[in-house]
Structures are given as C-alpha cells and as structure tokens.
Amino acid sequence: MEQQKRHLHASSFGAAATAYAEHRPDYARAAIRWALQPAPGPRVLDLGAGTGKLTATLVETGADVTAVEPDPAMLAELRGALPDVPALPGSAEAIPLPDASVDAVLAGNAMHWFDMAVAGPEIARVLAPGGILAGLWNTVDDRVDWVAGLARVSGSAAIGPRDTPASWRAVTADAHLPKTGVAARFGSPEQAEFPHGQLRTADSLVATLGTRAGMLVMPEQERQATLGRIRAFLASRPETAEGEFTLPMLTCVLRVRRL
C-alpha cells in the first residue's frame, strides 16, 4: 500500500506542470555549491529534474548539466525553458546514461520518490569513482511566527515533516539507503542547510502550496477547503495581507559519496 501511495503522489505533478514551473522556488546557490564541492568533476545529472528549477541554477553555476525526468509534461516544460540543456526521459530506477558518465547526481525535492533498492545501484553505476549524490529540499522556516501559523493551517498535505527545519534532518537522513536488504552504495551522510527565500504574494503562495503532491491528490472539495483556509490565514496576517513578501525558507542538503 505504501508503494502505491508513493507512486500516486510521485505521478501527480504532470497535471500541474505549468503551475509547478511558475510557482515552485529555485534552490539556494550556496546549497548547490556545498553539494558539489567534493565532486571529482563538473558533470552533473539533475535526476527527477521536474520543470528544471534545480537545472537552471546548476547551469548558472557553470556545471555541465544533463537532466532526466520521467513525466512527459514536466519534461516538456523543462525543455521549453532550457532548450540548450540535454533533457532525457528516464527515472532514478532507469537512468539513460552510460556507466561513470557523471561526477555528481543531484535531486531537487525528488530523492524521497526514488526506490533506492533499484535507484541506488543505478545512480552508483552512472557516477564516476568518488562521485557525489545529493538530495536538496526547500523547507519553509517555521521558526518565524507567521510561517509556523501557516504550517498549522495548511496541514501535512501542504507542509509536511520534510518541509520544516525542525524535522527535515531526521526524515531525510536515510533517503540514500535502500528500504530492503540490498547493500548500500554510498557512504555516511552529511547534512547542511542554507538560508533561502521566495518572493510571493498571498495568491502566489496559495498557488505554490497547491502544487504539493499531497494537495494534488486530494479530493477536489477538500483541496479547495484547504486552500481557502490558507488564503484566509494569509489575509489575516499583516506580513502577508497585501502586496509582495518574502517567504522565509532554507535549502537543506543531504550529501553522500559513492563507495
């Protein structure tokens, strides 16, 4: 049942690909530099690349980037936004690249969808010796009072344990490990977090939260009720009631080295 639920959530994004491309945040550049710092070279695979949020920032850092994404609608958005980046259909469990062809594999808000019993050996296969695997997650900083209130109102479908600084480390610490008896292909994890933010309005923040997997798979009546509560909360807070504001965030990184 858990596997079916994960597949349902992971496959929900294509229907919202345009909204995802418009509203999801990018990633802190300092987080990407830290993720790539031990990599033996500049060749980077953005795995589960979605609409290219991480891909675009990797390009800006000067990395030699290839993107792989399983969802056709998400891949089409990525190719439209970044026509010069090689962007291939594929998945973490079936990567369409040769052995030892990249120096780092990065996954932006995607590693938790991977079946690491299959994806771990595949990622290790395409990594050069000493290569790096890193997962990046954007979390909302609920140490800020109004953000904590937003998390309470939104519920776990929109802002879950992986989405807040208090719990992301525990929730993602074993994201690189297989859930079965398959041998691990990576060394001990390192974790770090980096300040980030996204300029939003109340309407665009509601739209952003509406692209979360838990929200996308909700029955429509429940989804609209949840979004309505979020909208009312934002209208009630002086920080978010009018105009633009910065949503305080952290880009959080799990980094491991290929054994």
Side-chain angles (χ1 to χ4, degrees), residues 195-216:
H196 196 30
Q198 185 186 25
L199 194 63
R200 298 280 79 185
T201 64
D203 285 344
S204 65
L205 181 50
V206 170
T208 301
L209 295 175
T211 67
R212 298 294 181 94
M215 297 294 293
L216 292 171

PDB file of all heavy atoms in Angstrom, residues 195-216:
ATOM      1  N   PRO A 195      20.262  29.464   4.167  1.00  0.00           N
ATOM      2  CA  PRO A 195      19.143  30.408   4.092  1.00  0.00           C
ATOM      3  C   PRO A 195      18.703  30.639   2.644  1.00  0.00           C
ATOM      4  O   PRO A 195      19.522  30.697   1.729  1.00  0.00           O
ATOM      5  CB  PRO A 195      19.715  31.688   4.698  1.00  0.00           C
ATOM      6  CG  PRO A 195      20.874  31.256   5.523  1.00  0.00           C
ATOM      7  CD  PRO A 195      21.442  30.046   4.831  1.00  0.00           C
ATOM      8  N   HIS A 196      17.401  30.758   2.471  1.00  0.00           N
ATOM      9  CA  HIS A 196      16.825  30.986   1.156  1.00  0.00           C
ATOM     10  C   HIS A 196      15.512  31.730   1.354  1.00  0.00           C
ATOM     11  O   HIS A 196      15.061  31.931   2.481  1.00  0.00           O
ATOM     12  CB  HIS A 196      16.602  29.635   0.451  1.00  0.00           C
ATOM     13  CG  HIS A 196      16.374  29.733  -1.024  1.00  0.00           C
ATOM     14  ND1 HIS A 196      16.923  30.723  -1.812  1.00  0.00           N
ATOM     15  CD2 HIS A 196      15.648  28.962  -1.881  1.00  0.00           C
ATOM     16  CE1 HIS A 196      16.563  30.546  -3.070  1.00  0.00           C
ATOM     17  NE2 HIS A 196      15.777  29.487  -3.128  1.00  0.00           N
ATOM     18  N   GLY A 197      14.904  32.151   0.291  1.00  0.00           N
ATOM     19  CA  GLY A 197      13.615  32.826   0.369  1.00  0.00           C
ATOM     20  C   GLY A 197      12.991  32.911  -1.009  1.00  0.00           C
ATOM     21  O   GLY A 197      13.675  32.769  -2.022  1.00  0.00           O
ATOM     22  N   GLN A 198      11.690  33.127  -1.026  1.00  0.00           N
ATOM     23  CA  GLN A 198      10.968  33.241  -2.289  1.00  0.00           C
ATOM     24  C   GLN A 198      10.018  34.423  -2.183  1.00  0.00           C
ATOM     25  O   GLN A 198       9.216  34.504  -1.246  1.00  0.00           O
ATOM     26  CB  GLN A 198      10.194  31.961  -2.594  1.00  0.00           C
ATOM     27  CG  GLN A 198       9.517  31.965  -3.966  1.00  0.00           C
ATOM     28  CD  GLN A 198       8.644  30.756  -4.199  1.00  0.00           C
ATOM     29  OE1 GLN A 198       8.157  30.156  -3.252  1.00  0.00           O
ATOM     30  NE2 GLN A 198       8.420  30.398  -5.448  1.00  0.00           N
ATOM     31  N   LEU A 199      10.096  35.331  -3.155  1.00  0.00           N
ATOM     32  CA  LEU A 199       9.192  36.480  -3.194  1.00  0.00           C
ATOM     33  C   LEU A 199       7.815  36.006  -3.635  1.00  0.00           C
ATOM     34  O   LEU A 199       7.680  35.396  -4.700  1.00  0.00           O
ATOM     35  CB  LEU A 199       9.741  37.538  -4.158  1.00  0.00           C
ATOM     36  CG  LEU A 199       9.111  38.933  -4.066  1.00  0.00           C
ATOM     37  CD1 LEU A 199       9.372  39.560  -2.697  1.00  0.00           C
ATOM     38  CD2 LEU A 199       9.662  39.835  -5.174  1.00  0.00           C
ATOM     39  N   ARG A 200       6.807  36.253  -2.817  1.00  0.00           N
ATOM     40  CA  ARG A 200       5.450  35.757  -3.055  1.00  0.00           C
ATOM     41  C   ARG A 200       4.430  36.859  -2.789  1.00  0.00           C
ATOM     42  O   ARG A 200       4.718  37.865  -2.123  1.00  0.00           O
ATOM     43  CB  ARG A 200       5.124  34.581  -2.136  1.00  0.00           C
ATOM     44  CG  ARG A 200       5.965  33.336  -2.288  1.00  0.00           C
ATOM     45  CD  ARG A 200       5.521  32.467  -3.462  1.00  0.00           C
ATOM     46  NE  ARG A 200       6.017  32.989  -4.730  1.00  0.00           N
ATOM     47  CZ  ARG A 200       5.694  32.487  -5.922  1.00  0.00           C
ATOM     48  NH1 ARG A 200       4.871  31.456  -6.007  1.00  0.00           N
ATOM     49  NH2 ARG A 200       6.191  33.015  -7.020  1.00  0.00           N
ATOM     50  N   THR A 201       3.225  36.661  -3.294  1.00  0.00           N
ATOM     51  CA  THR A 201       2.030  37.338  -2.821  1.00  0.00           C
ATOM     52  C   THR A 201       1.147  36.279  -2.173  1.00  0.00           C
ATOM     53  O   THR A 201       1.437  35.081  -2.274  1.00  0.00           O
ATOM     54  CB  THR A 201       1.263  38.006  -3.973  1.00  0.00           C
ATOM     55  OG1 THR A 201       0.800  36.969  -4.864  1.00  0.00           O
ATOM     56  CG2 THR A 201       2.151  38.988  -4.747  1.00  0.00           C
ATOM     57  N   ALA A 202       0.078  36.710  -1.523  1.00  0.00           N
ATOM     58  CA  ALA A 202      -0.829  35.721  -0.937  1.00  0.00           C
ATOM     59  C   ALA A 202      -1.333  34.758  -2.009  1.00  0.00           C
ATOM     60  O   ALA A 202      -1.354  33.534  -1.808  1.00  0.00           O
ATOM     61  CB  ALA A 202      -1.995  36.424  -0.245  1.00  0.00           C
ATOM     62  N   ASP A 203      -1.728  35.283  -3.165  1.00  0.00           N
ATOM     63  CA  ASP A 203      -2.256  34.425  -4.223  1.00  0.00           C
ATOM     64  C   ASP A 203      -1.201  33.462  -4.744  1.00  0.00           C
ATOM     65  O   ASP A 203      -1.487  32.277  -4.970  1.00  0.00           O
ATOM     66  CB  ASP A 203      -2.791  35.277  -5.381  1.00  0.00           C
ATOM     67  CG  ASP A 203      -4.123  35.932  -5.064  1.00  0.00           C
ATOM     68  OD1 ASP A 203      -4.785  35.502  -4.092  1.00  0.00           O
ATOM     69  OD2 ASP A 203      -4.499  36.883  -5.774  1.00  0.00           O
ATOM     70  N   SER A 204       0.023  33.958  -4.936  1.00  0.00           N
ATOM     71  CA  SER A 204       1.046  33.067  -5.496  1.00  0.00           C
ATOM     72  C   SER A 204       1.530  32.048  -4.472  1.00  0.00           C
ATOM     73  O   SER A 204       1.918  30.933  -4.835  1.00  0.00           O
ATOM     74  CB  SER A 204       2.218  33.874  -6.072  1.00  0.00           C
ATOM     75  OG  SER A 204       2.911  34.576  -5.055  1.00  0.00           O
ATOM     76  N   LEU A 205       1.476  32.380  -3.175  1.00  0.00           N
ATOM     77  CA  LEU A 205       1.841  31.390  -2.163  1.00  0.00           C
ATOM     78  C   LEU A 205       0.776  30.296  -2.079  1.00  0.00           C
ATOM     79  O   LEU A 205       1.097  29.108  -1.949  1.00  0.00           O
ATOM     80  CB  LEU A 205       2.041  32.055  -0.799  1.00  0.00           C
ATOM     81  CG  LEU A 205       2.449  31.123   0.344  1.00  0.00           C
ATOM     82  CD1 LEU A 205       3.627  30.233  -0.022  1.00  0.00           C
ATOM     83  CD2 LEU A 205       2.762  31.936   1.604  1.00  0.00           C
ATOM     84  N   VAL A 206      -0.490  30.674  -2.182  1.00  0.00           N
ATOM     85  CA  VAL A 206      -1.554  29.669  -2.239  1.00  0.00           C
ATOM     86  C   VAL A 206      -1.336  28.756  -3.443  1.00  0.00           C
ATOM     87  O   VAL A 206      -1.449  27.522  -3.349  1.00  0.00           O
ATOM     88  CB  VAL A 206      -2.942  30.337  -2.308  1.00  0.00           C
ATOM     89  CG1 VAL A 206      -4.030  29.308  -2.625  1.00  0.00           C
ATOM     90  CG2 VAL A 206      -3.263  31.038  -0.996  1.00  0.00           C
ATOM     91  N   ALA A 207      -0.989  29.347  -4.583  1.00  0.00           N
ATOM     92  CA  ALA A 207      -0.737  28.548  -5.787  1.00  0.00           C
ATOM     93  C   ALA A 207       0.459  27.632  -5.597  1.00  0.00           C
ATOM     94  O   ALA A 207       0.455  26.478  -6.048  1.00  0.00           O
ATOM     95  CB  ALA A 207      -0.529  29.463  -6.991  1.00  0.00           C
ATOM     96  N   THR A 208       1.502  28.108  -4.925  1.00  0.00           N
ATOM     97  CA  THR A 208       2.680  27.284  -4.654  1.00  0.00           C
ATOM     98  C   THR A 208       2.310  26.063  -3.821  1.00  0.00           C
ATOM     99  O   THR A 208       2.668  24.922  -4.161  1.00  0.00           O
ATOM    100  CB  THR A 208       3.749  28.107  -3.903  1.00  0.00           C
ATOM    101  OG1 THR A 208       4.111  29.241  -4.694  1.00  0.00           O
ATOM    102  CG2 THR A 208       4.993  27.269  -3.635  1.00  0.00           C
ATOM    103  N   LEU A 209       1.601  26.280  -2.732  1.00  0.00           N
ATOM    104  CA  LEU A 209       1.218  25.163  -1.861  1.00  0.00           C
ATOM    105  C   LEU A 209       0.271  24.212  -2.572  1.00  0.00           C
ATOM    106  O   LEU A 209       0.265  23.004  -2.291  1.00  0.00           O
ATOM    107  CB  LEU A 209       0.584  25.700  -0.579  1.00  0.00           C
ATOM    108  CG  LEU A 209       1.530  26.515   0.313  1.00  0.00           C
ATOM    109  CD1 LEU A 209       0.779  27.113   1.491  1.00  0.00           C
ATOM    110  CD2 LEU A 209       2.694  25.661   0.805  1.00  0.00           C
ATOM    111  N   GLY A 210      -0.492  24.730  -3.530  1.00  0.00           N
ATOM    112  CA  GLY A 210      -1.383  23.874  -4.302  1.00  0.00           C
ATOM    113  C   GLY A 210      -0.666  22.904  -5.212  1.00  0.00           C
ATOM    114  O   GLY A 210      -1.275  21.947  -5.702  1.00  0.00           O
ATOM    115  N   THR A 211       0.648  23.108  -5.446  1.00  0.00           N
ATOM    116  CA  THR A 211       1.416  22.179  -6.287  1.00  0.00           C
ATOM    117  C   THR A 211       2.071  21.072  -5.485  1.00  0.00           C
ATOM    118  O   THR A 211       2.756  20.216  -6.061  1.00  0.00           O
ATOM    119  CB  THR A 211       2.516  22.921  -7.081  1.00  0.00           C
ATOM    120  OG1 THR A 211       3.508  23.435  -6.170  1.00  0.00           O
ATOM    121  CG2 THR A 211       1.937  24.059  -7.908  1.00  0.00           C
ATOM    122  N   ARG A 212       1.897  21.038  -4.159  1.00  0.00           N
ATOM    123  CA  ARG A 212       2.455  19.950  -3.353  1.00  0.00           C
ATOM    124  C   ARG A 212       1.701  18.655  -3.659  1.00  0.00           C
ATOM    125  O   ARG A 212       0.482  18.655  -3.866  1.00  0.00           O
ATOM    126  CB  ARG A 212       2.353  20.278  -1.866  1.00  0.00           C
ATOM    127  CG  ARG A 212       3.127  21.527  -1.436  1.00  0.00           C
ATOM    128  CD  ARG A 212       4.627  21.343  -1.576  1.00  0.00           C
ATOM    129  NE  ARG A 212       5.384  22.500  -1.162  1.00  0.00           N
ATOM    130  CZ  ARG A 212       5.885  22.669   0.064  1.00  0.00           C
ATOM    131  NH1 ARG A 212       5.699  21.749   0.995  1.00  0.00           N
ATOM    132  NH2 ARG A 212       6.584  23.748   0.360  1.00  0.00           N
ATOM    133  N   ALA A 213       2.430  17.541  -3.639  1.00  0.00           N
ATOM    134  CA  ALA A 213       1.838  16.265  -4.034  1.00  0.00           C
ATOM    135  C   ALA A 213       0.605  15.923  -3.210  1.00  0.00           C
ATOM    136  O   ALA A 213      -0.409  15.457  -3.737  1.00  0.00           O
ATOM    137  CB  ALA A 213       2.871  15.149  -3.920  1.00  0.00           C
ATOM    138  N   GLY A 214       0.691  16.155  -1.892  1.00  0.00           N
ATOM    139  CA  GLY A 214      -0.441  15.837  -1.038  1.00  0.00           C
ATOM    140  C   GLY A 214      -1.684  16.628  -1.398  1.00  0.00           C
ATOM    141  O   GLY A 214      -2.813  16.139  -1.250  1.00  0.00           O
ATOM    142  N   MET A 215      -1.483  17.851  -1.879  1.00  0.00           N
ATOM    143  CA  MET A 215      -2.615  18.675  -2.299  1.00  0.00           C
ATOM    144  C   MET A 215      -3.159  18.218  -3.648  1.00  0.00           C
ATOM    145  O   MET A 215      -4.376  18.212  -3.877  1.00  0.00           O
ATOM    146  CB  MET A 215      -2.174  20.141  -2.385  1.00  0.00           C
ATOM    147  CG  MET A 215      -1.738  20.736  -1.065  1.00  0.00           C
ATOM    148  SD  MET A 215      -3.083  20.867   0.128  1.00  0.00           S
ATOM    149  CE  MET A 215      -4.112  22.093  -0.677  1.00  0.00           C
ATOM    150  N   LEU A 216      -2.279  17.817  -4.536  1.00  0.00           N
ATOM    151  CA  LEU A 216      -2.702  17.426  -5.879  1.00  0.00           C
ATOM    152  C   LEU A 216      -3.558  16.169  -5.891  1.00  0.00           C
ATOM    153  O   LEU A 216      -4.398  15.989  -6.777  1.00  0.00           O
ATOM    154  CB  LEU A 216      -1.478  17.234  -6.783  1.00  0.00           C
ATOM    155  CG  LEU A 216      -0.694  18.502  -7.116  1.00  0.00           C
ATOM    156  CD1 LEU A 216       0.602  18.149  -7.831  1.00  0.00           C
ATOM    157  CD2 LEU A 216      -1.519  19.456  -7.974  1.00  0.00           C
TER     158      LEU A 216
END
